[in-house]
Amino acid sequence: MKKNNSKNIIPSEDIPGLEISARPRRNRKSETIRKLVKETYLEPGDFIYPVFIHDGNSDEEITSMPGCKRFSIRGLVNEVKRSLKLGVSAFVLFPAIKDSYKTPLCEESYNSKGLVQRALRELKNSCPDATLITDIALDPYNSEGHDGIVSPSGEILNDFTVDVLCKQALSHAHAGADVVSPSDMMDGRIGAIREILDEEGFTSVSIMSYTAKYASSLYGPFRGALDSAPKAGDKKTYQMDPANSREALRELMLDEEEGADIVMVKPASHYLDMVYLFKDNTDLPVAAYQVSGEYLMIKAASNSGWLDEDKIILESLLSIKRAGADMIITYFAPRAAELLKKQY
Ligand code: PBG
């Protein structure tokens, strides 16, 4: 290599003698080339928007999730219409239930006049283009705050819970749900729900299963939004240990056998290896859930000026898609759709 004596002169040509034949930078040399070689694209149709609802007349800010609201049914209709215009057309409904309706047997979960059921009917009516997904789990309705029914000795009763989940799923299907989405992690619930839906003629209602749902600390802000934290104990007897990946493949195999239409990994960003593994091990579509804690980390860092919110939103979602997610559940859905409009 020739020695360059004068420190401040940058050589105008490549340094002679350097023999590099592979130069990946050629594929990054212009915006046009970069677009040509781009491997992963995000689009608004990739997103599922989780929305919180409550039985009030007005929308409320959620303290534990700045920037998110608990919508009244009327507010929900407006939010869904706004999102549809941006190209986001799939929604999961999460209800905040009044304490007085919470019971140990969670009967409110399958009340045909319950909050979710009313919201479904209203949305079917006023926003027929929206795809409506409902959460199947008992925590919002449970005086114990668990996803399953708790026995007097504090055990989560699997089969008893699955029975109630079936009633909940059926009542959502009756009210107009397009997809039911069990997030409870009880054994056998996908098969049981498929069977009851089919028996009752709801063969076209899909099941999006929370297949690998980890017992993560990233759900705290969500539980604040619904006031649904467990009264005692944790969720480790049903949600998975973050240390395990082979166990998730077992759950995947069972969900496939039991008839899931879509399988999910949750959370997303800290679990991209699982998203990749799922993509490699199933022919079913893979969903990933960017959960409340992931949302909040981005919000907190950008609200304090440490990160550029808009850029990190798109980068986080792109990474989840690159890892193999066919769809992403994200509280940023409408914002991300707006940003994508500007980008392309
Ligand atoms: C409850 C449920 C949870 C989430 C979705 N459904 C919380 C939990 O399991 O404790 C978390 C979503 C989020 O954190 O954004 N069945």
Side-chain angles (χ1 to χ4, degrees):
M1 203 190 287
K2 234 197 259 169
K3 195 157 180 230
N4 193 346
N5 288 327
S6 131
K7 268 199 258 155
N8 296 321
I9 297 177
I10 299 169
S12 59
E13 290 168 60
D14 282 351
I15 301 166
L18 206 54
E19 280 177 24
I20 302 175
S21 57
R23 291 184 182 271
R25 284 186 56 197
R26 279 199 287 264
N27 283 345
R28 302 176 206 137
K29 71 182 169 192
S30 70
E31 186 61 29
T32 301
I33 302 264
R34 287 195 292 273
K35 274 208 174 130
L36 288 171
V37 303
K38 200 178 187 63
E39 297 173 37
T40 311
Y41 283 90
L42 281 174
E43 52 187 358
D46 296 332
F47 305 140
I48 298 174
Y49 182 22
V51 279
F52 298 106
I53 52 176
H54 75 137
D55 217 346
N57 293 322
S58 53
D59 305 339
E60 289 176 354
E61 297 292 335
I62 298 173
T63 327
S64 65
M65 293 181 68
C68 286
K69 286 182 177 153
R70 259 184 302 265
F71 293 105
S72 65
I73 292 187
R74 196 190 314 156
L76 172 70
V77 169
N78 292 336
E79 183 69 356
V80 166
K81 286 186 176 161
R82 180 180 83 90
S83 307
L84 286 169
K85 283 195 195 119
L86 292 165
V88 173
S89 49
F91 305 85
V92 202
L93 308 184
F94 288 109
I97 300 296
K98 285 189 186 127
D99 272 349
S100 54
Y101 291 128
K102 299 187 183 190
T103 57
L105 296 180
C106 312
E107 292 92 339
E108 182 63 16
S109 64
Y110 50 90
N111 176 357
S112 62
K113 297 192 178 76
L115 177 59
V116 169
Q117 290 83 349
R118 275 182 284 132
L120 285 169
R121 276 190 226 103
E122 181 55 46
L123 283 175
K124 271 286 139 196
N125 232 346
S126 41
C127 310
D129 294 337
T131 290
L132 306 178
I133 307 173
T134 58
D135 189 59
I136 303 299
L138 302 180
D139 45 322
Y141 306 95
N142 194 341
S143 42
E144 299 302 316
H146 276 285
D147 292 35
I149 306 283
V150 186
S151 80
S153 63
E155 227 185 290
I156 310 295
L157 299 171
N158 191 88
D159 301 12
F160 196 85
T161 299
V162 171
D163 247 13
V164 183
L165 296 173
C166 285
K167 290 186 191 162
Q168 184 184 26
L170 191 58
S171 91
H172 290 175
H174 272 291
D178 299 293
V179 181
V180 293
S181 190
S183 69
D184 56 288
M185 290 301 279
M186 296 301 122
D187 293 334
R189 90 276 208 215
I190 301 301
I193 290 172
R194 184 71 272 159
E195 195 178 321
I196 189 121
L197 289 176
D198 288 352
E199 267 171 26
E200 298 289 326
F202 293 106
T203 50
S204 61
V205 171
S206 326
I207 301 181
M208 175 166 76
S209 175
Y210 287 63
T211 302
K213 177 173 178 178
Y214 285 92
S216 167
S217 333
L218 293 165
Y219 309 148
F222 172 100
R223 293 178 192 166
L226 297 187
D227 187 20
S228 63
K231 293 284 174 300
D234 51 41
K235 298 193 175 184
K236 291 182 187 169
T237 68
Y238 45 108
Q239 298 181 352
M240 283 186 46
D241 184 343
N244 295 355
S245 63
R246 287 166 58 237
E247 189 181 336
L249 291 180
R250 186 168 180 224
E251 291 282 5
L252 176 60
M253 190 189 71
L254 289 169
D255 277 0
E256 283 190 328
E257 276 172 18
E258 291 179 34
D261 299 286
I262 300 168
V263 289
M264 193 201 297
V265 172
K266 176 187 175 185
S269 295
H270 291 54
Y271 294 78
L272 293 183
D273 56 328
M274 297 312 304
V275 176
Y276 190 81
L277 197 65
F278 266 38
K279 197 51 179 273
D280 239 13
N281 280 280
T282 182
D283 295 326
L284 290 175
V286 176
Y289 196 145
Q290 184 181 53
V291 300
S292 57
E294 295 171 71
Y295 168 85
L296 210 68
M297 286 195 280
I298 293 173
K299 273 283 173 198
S302 30
N303 284 349
S304 47
W306 289 331
L307 289 178
D308 180 325
E309 175 167 349
D310 290 347
K311 288 190 175 146
I312 201 78
I313 288 174
L314 290 183
E315 188 176 332
S316 65
L317 296 170
L318 188 71
S319 311
I320 296 167
K321 186 157 183 200
R322 190 193 60 232
D326 298 290
M327 63 197 91
I328 305 167
I329 301 162
T330 173
Y331 300 98
F332 290 120
R335 179 67 192 144
E338 269 171 2
L339 294 172
L340 289 172
K341 277 228 162 76
K342 279 193 226 155
Q343 203 180 53
Y344 296 122

